[in-house]
Amino acid sequence: MTVSEQNDMAGWPPEGTVFPVSHIDLAVLPGEHPFHLRELTAVRENWAREVHANPALFDGRMVFQHHVSIRDGVVKGEAYIAPFSTFLWWRKQRAQGGFHLFAFAVAISSDGALIAIRMAPHTANPGQVYCAAGSMDESDIVDGHCDVEGNMRREVLEETGLDLDDAVVEPGYYGTHLNRSVTLFRIFRFPWTAEDMLRRIEAHMLVSEEDEVDGAVAIRSADPSAHHYSAAMLPILAWYFGGDK
């Protein structure tokens, strides 16, 4: 990591640790993301390769962070709306000038399992297992800022059919980060067993137009080899099942 990159992330907690979040302020600015403008030719060339390999990809518009600061539990960011193709190119190099920030609603069953989804083969994260979630987009912007809870509610409902209003939410958010990717998460405890929740999700998949989810799993340990986990899941599993919460 260069000195410039270190300054870009000055004051951040160590990578892979879970920390409490006391305040979230994620502004979305007008105009184009500087990384998008700087890398436009490379973005287009990479997108052509990505679509050739996976024609199901869709170049939607998403909230892509430019600056993020994490200090004393306060997470602040400045983002722009950018094409998904720009994010995919950035993700290959994790270049300075960009951050990926997303939110997990950590769904817990009445018998203590963490309920996650497995992504379908045609998605940008094929086979990966993580909490039902998606990058923030224009529908998640309220008064020029990201509505984190609104994003979580929408994504969980779309992907699983579960309504976060049916859960008891634990107070406060937590965060973790790895390789310029920031995860904000909150614990939601549902009144149903893991078996019941998986059954509900499977029934939803039969009638849903959402085709990005390949199935749901009940996680009962921090074993990193139990599933093909997204890297963002590992610190959360270690924290939750390791008894540190």
Side-chain angles (χ1 to χ4, degrees), residues 115-117 159-162 196-206 213 215-217:
I115 306 300
I117 50 99
E159 295 185 346
T160 69
L162 300 176
D196 288 338
M197 292 182 70
L198 295 182
R199 188 181 301 115
R200 287 169 182 263
I201 295 171
E202 289 167 0
H204 171 75
M205 291 174 61
L206 291 175
V213 176
V217 300

Side-chain angles (χ1 to χ4, degrees), residues 8-9 12 64-68 90 97-101 180 182:
D8 195 23
M9 301 170 65
W12 286 39
F64 182 26
Q65 301 292 326
H66 178 48
H67 293 300
V68 177
W90 171 85
F99 292 91
H100 187 211
L101 185 148
R180 302 181 75 85
V182 180

Side-chain angles (χ1 to χ4, degrees), residues 32 90 94 120 124 128 132 164 169 176 193 215 227 236:
E32 299 285 355
W90 171 85
R94 305 282 173 160
Q128 287 191 15
L164 293 184
V169 58
T176 184
T193 66
H227 299 281
I236 297 172

